Amino acid sequence: SSNELSGNIPSVIRNFKNLIEFSIDNNKFSGNLPNYIGCLSSLRTLNVSCNKIIGEIPQSIGNLLDLISLKMDKNKLTGEIPKSIANLKKLTVLSLSKNSLSGFIPSEIGSLKNLMELRLDENMLKGMIPKALGGLALLTTVFLCVNFFTGMIPLEIFLCVKVVQFLLNCNKLKGLIPEEIGQMVNMTYLNLSNNLFIGNIPEKIFNLFNLQSLGMASNYLTGTISSKIGNLKNIVYLNLGSNSLQGAIPKEIGKMLCIKSLVLEDNKLTGCIPGEIKSLANLEELKLGKNKISGSIPAEVGELKNLQILDLQDNCLEDEIPKEITKLSKLKEIYLNKNKLIGCLPKAIGVLMSLTCLALDWNFLEGMIPDEI
C-alpha cells in the first residue's frame, strides 16, 4: 500500500494460494483486474483502492469464499457488479465507490448476511434499490449516493436498525419519505438531498436523537417544520433548503445546541426569526435567504459569537439593521439584500475585520456609508 508502484497486476500472484491479504491500494496500478484473482482462494482481504484499474470486475471474484473485506473504490472500473459476489458469505465490507460501474445492484447481494459496510456511491448505477438489502441486519454503513437510482425507498431497508450512516443523496428517488425511517434509531448521518421526494417531512425522523447530520435539500417537500425538530439535540448540520416548506421557523430550534450549520434557504417560510436562536452558541452558518420571513432581524443574533455566514437575503425583513450584529467578530459574509430594511448602517460594522462580503442592495437604507468601513 501507499507507494508509487505501477503497471499491471503481475500474473505471478496466481501462485500464491495461501495468501491471506492482498493490499495494493494507493499506488498507480493500471490495466484490468485479472480473472486469475479468483485463484487466491485463501484471501480474506482484497484492497486495490486508489489506483487506475480499468475494465469489469471479473466473475471469478466469487471464488474468494473466505473474503471478509473487498475494497475497489477510486478506480476506473466499468460494467456491472457481478452476481457471483453473492458467494462471498463472509464479507463484512464491500466498497466499490467512485468508479464508473453501471447497471443494477444485483438482488443476490441480499445473501451477504455478514455485510456491515456497503459503499457503492459515485458510480452510474440505476434502477430501484433492491428490497433484499432489508435482510442485511448487520449493516451500519450504506452509501448509495451520486448514482441514478429511481423509484421509492423500499420499506424493507428500514429493518436495518443498526445503520449509522445512510446516504442516498443525488439520485432520482421519488415518493414520500416513509415514516419507517424512524426505526433507524442509531443513525447519525442521513442525507436524502437532491432527489424527487414529495410530501411532508415525516414526524418520526425527529425521533432519531443521535442524528448529527441531516440533509433533505433540493427535493419537493411541503408542509411545515415540526416543533419536534428540537428533539435533535445532537444535530451539527441541518439542511432543508430548496424545498417548498411553509409556515414559521419553530422556536424549538433553540434547543439544537450543537448545531454549526442551519440551512433553510429557498423555501416558503413565513413569520419572524425566533429570538430563541440566541441559544445556538456554536452556529457558524445561518442561511434563511429566499423565503418570506418578515419582522425585524432580532437583536439576539448578536449572541451568535461563532457565526461566519449570515444569509437573510430575499425576504420581507423590516426595520433597522441591529447594532448587535457588529459583535460578531468572526463574520465573513453578510447577505441582507432584497429586503425592506430601513435606517442607517451601524457605524461599528467596520470593526468586522474578517468580513469579505457585505450585500445590502435592494433595501430602503439611507444616510452615509460609515467611514469605519
Side-chain angles (χ1 to χ4, degrees):
S1 301
S2 301
N3 282 289
E4 295 289 325
L5 301 174
S6 60
N8 293 346
I9 297 173
S11 58
V12 69
I13 68 163
R14 75 174 74 196
N15 301 321
F16 301 156
K17 305 294 185 182
N18 296 315
L19 194 65
I20 294 175
E21 178 176 355
F22 184 54
S23 295
I24 58 169
D25 53 299
N26 290 289
N27 280 288
K28 297 180 180 179
F29 285 104
S30 56
N32 292 65
L33 193 64
N35 195 53
Y36 50 75
I37 200 80
C39 297
L40 307 179
S41 55
S42 297
L43 267 189
R44 296 179 185 174
T45 299
L46 175 58
N47 189 349
V48 299
S49 299
C50 302
N51 281 286
K52 299 177 181 180
I53 297 171
I54 62 173
E56 299 187 1
I57 300 171
Q59 288 286 344
S60 64
I61 204 83
N63 298 336
L64 307 179
L65 302 183
D66 288 329
L67 204 62
I68 294 174
S69 177
L70 175 58
K71 296 181 179 180
M72 298 183 172
D73 45 291
K74 298 181 182 178
N75 279 288
K76 299 179 180 180
L77 296 170
T78 55
E80 300 186 357
I81 300 171
K83 293 183 179 181
S84 63
I85 213 162
N87 298 337
L88 310 181
K89 307 297 185 184
K90 297 180 181 180
L91 204 63
T92 63
V93 177
L94 175 59
S95 183
L96 306 177
S97 304
K98 298 181 180 179
N99 282 288
S100 296
L101 298 172
S102 57
F104 305 92
I105 299 177
S107 58
E108 289 83 356
I109 206 166
S111 301
L112 306 179
K113 301 299 183 183
N114 288 299
L115 198 64
M116 299 174 68
E117 295 185 21
L118 176 62
R119 301 173 187 263
L120 304 178
D121 50 298
E122 296 190 45
N123 279 289
M124 301 171 67
L125 299 169
K126 63 181 181 178
M128 299 182 72
I129 297 170
K131 296 178 181 180
L133 290 184
L136 305 181
L138 299 181
L139 274 178
T140 60
T141 301
V142 180
F143 287 5
L144 302 180
C145 51
V146 197
N147 279 288
F148 298 99
F149 294 118
T150 54
M152 294 184 284
I153 304 175
L155 296 182
E156 290 80 1
I157 203 166
F158 300 118
L159 297 173
C160 303
V161 295
K162 293 188 177 182
V163 168
V164 175
Q165 300 180 88
F166 191 36
L167 306 186
L168 297 179
N169 50 298
C170 300
N171 281 289
K172 297 181 180 180
L173 298 169
K174 65 179 183 178
L176 301 174
I177 299 172
E179 288 284 350
E180 285 82 356
I181 202 167
Q183 297 171 191
M184 291 180 156
V185 294
N186 294 298
M187 192 116 65
T188 60
Y189 292 88
L190 172 61
N191 198 339
L192 304 177
S193 299
N194 295 93
N195 279 289
L196 305 172
F197 293 119
I198 60 171
N200 295 348
I201 298 172
E203 285 276 308
K204 291 186 178 178
I205 211 166
F206 301 116
N207 293 336
L208 301 177
F209 305 125
N210 293 308
L211 269 183
Q212 297 176 25
S213 179
L214 173 59
M216 305 178 78
S218 299
N219 282 288
Y220 297 91
L221 300 175
T222 53
T224 59
I225 300 174
S226 171
S227 61
K228 291 183 180 179
I229 198 169
N231 293 344
L232 303 181
K233 291 182 169 54
N234 293 302
I235 200 81
V236 179
Y237 303 99
L238 175 63
N239 191 344
L240 305 179
S242 300
N243 282 288
S244 296
L245 299 171
Q246 301 175 337
I249 299 170
K251 62 183 180 181
E252 286 78 7
I253 65 166
K255 297 179 180 180
M256 300 188 297
L257 301 182
C258 296
I259 197 162
K260 291 184 178 181
S261 177
L262 175 59
V263 180
L264 304 177
E265 64 186 2
D266 195 15
N267 278 288
K268 299 177 181 179
L269 299 173
T270 54
C272 299
I273 300 172
E276 287 79 3
I277 203 167
K278 68 180 180 182
S279 301
L280 308 183
N282 294 302
L283 197 63
E284 298 176 358
E285 179 180 51
L286 177 62
K287 292 188 173 183
L288 306 179
K290 300 179 183 178
N291 280 290
K292 298 178 181 179
I293 298 169
S294 57
S296 58
I297 300 172
E300 288 86 349
V301 167
E303 301 295 320
L304 305 177
K305 303 299 184 184
N306 287 298
L307 199 64
Q308 298 178 27
I309 299 175
L310 175 62
D311 186 353
L312 305 178
Q313 67 178 299
D314 203 357
N315 277 292
C316 303
L317 294 168
E318 301 173 327
D319 296 332
E320 297 185 354
I321 299 171
K323 63 181 184 299
E324 288 81 3
I325 207 169
T326 63
K327 297 178 182 179
L328 305 178
S329 60
K330 295 183 180 180
L331 266 183
K332 296 179 180 178
E333 301 175 25
I334 302 176
Y335 302 95
L336 303 179
N337 48 304
K338 296 185 179 179
N339 278 290
K340 300 177 182 179
L341 299 171
I342 60 172
C344 301
L345 276 177
K347 287 186 178 181
I349 203 164
V351 304
L352 301 178
M353 303 305 294
S354 299
L355 203 61
T356 59
C357 182
L358 176 60
L360 301 172
D361 51 302
W362 294 96
N363 279 289
F364 299 102
L365 297 171
E366 59 187 10
M368 303 288 289
I369 296 175
D371 291 335
E372 290 80 358
I373 295 180

